[in-house]
Amino acid sequence: MLTITQALVDQIVAHARKDHPDEACGVVAGSAASDRPERFIPMLNAAMSPTFYEFDSGDLLKLYREMDDRDEEPVVIYHSHTATEAYPSRTDISYANEPGAHYVLVSTADTDGLGDFQFRSYRIVEGEVTEEEVKVVESY
């Protein structure tokens, strides 16, 4: 289960809406081994595409060095889908290389009639996708 604050959900959704029609992407870092997302880090989609996201390799290297210095890890890796449901694509699955992370997808398309976005979380380990419950809290 992903436990995340409403403030972080709002920031992720706002980033997805801001970058629309391109996919947005980023990380929420947290203290190593805590499984608690705390520090919101929006990233640039280097692909600048409505159907694909890609972290800039230089930005990603800088981020991982910064997280190491702060004893953090990527608790949440997020990106948006602009025209499809919030479910990992084959490409998303192939790029998922953090088995301990929660992979959050936000869809800015109303694909289910339940509103103007979907916010869903998955664990992706060795190509296996498992959806998990998202518990939104006011604070930890």
Side-chain angles (χ1 to χ4, degrees):
M1 176 173 59
L2 170 62
T3 301
I4 188 168
T5 64
Q6 184 66 58
L8 285 169
V9 170
D10 293 346
Q11 288 178 296
I12 292 169
V13 171
H15 184 204
R17 288 181 171 148
K18 181 179 79 62
D19 283 10
H20 188 88
D22 290 338
E23 290 191 3
C25 58
V27 172
V28 184
S31 297
S34 72
D35 199 40
R36 179 182 288 181
E38 294 176 335
R39 188 167 63 95
F40 175 70
I41 308 158
M43 303 284 285
L44 173 68
N45 178 354
M48 299 176 92
S49 167
T51 59
F52 179 74
Y53 83 98
E54 180 176 36
F55 291 116
D56 176 85
S57 58
D59 290 347
L60 198 57
L61 179 60
K62 180 181 170 192
L63 171 63
Y64 271 81
R65 285 181 175 156
E66 184 181 294
M67 286 190 299
D68 281 347
D69 290 347
R70 296 170 64 119
D71 196 29
E72 292 176 329
E73 61 190 16
V75 177
V76 169
I77 298 172
Y78 73 87
H79 77 280
S80 62
H81 284 180
T82 61
T84 59
E85 71 174 313
Y87 189 85
S89 69
R90 282 186 301 231
T91 303
D92 298 339
I93 295 165
S94 70
Y95 284 129
N97 60 4
E98 287 287 347
H102 303 269
Y103 285 88
V104 166
L105 274 93
V106 174
S107 176
T108 53
D110 183 7
T111 58
D112 60 6
L114 298 177
D116 59 351
F117 72 92
Q118 295 174 344
F119 187 100
R120 296 166 70 183
S121 184
Y122 304 88
R123 294 292 191 153
I124 304 174
V125 180
E126 295 180 7
E128 186 77 25
V129 178
T130 306
E131 186 165 8
E132 63 184 350
E133 180 184 346
V134 176
K135 180 179 178 183
V136 180
V137 296
E138 285 306 310
S139 63
Y140 300 121

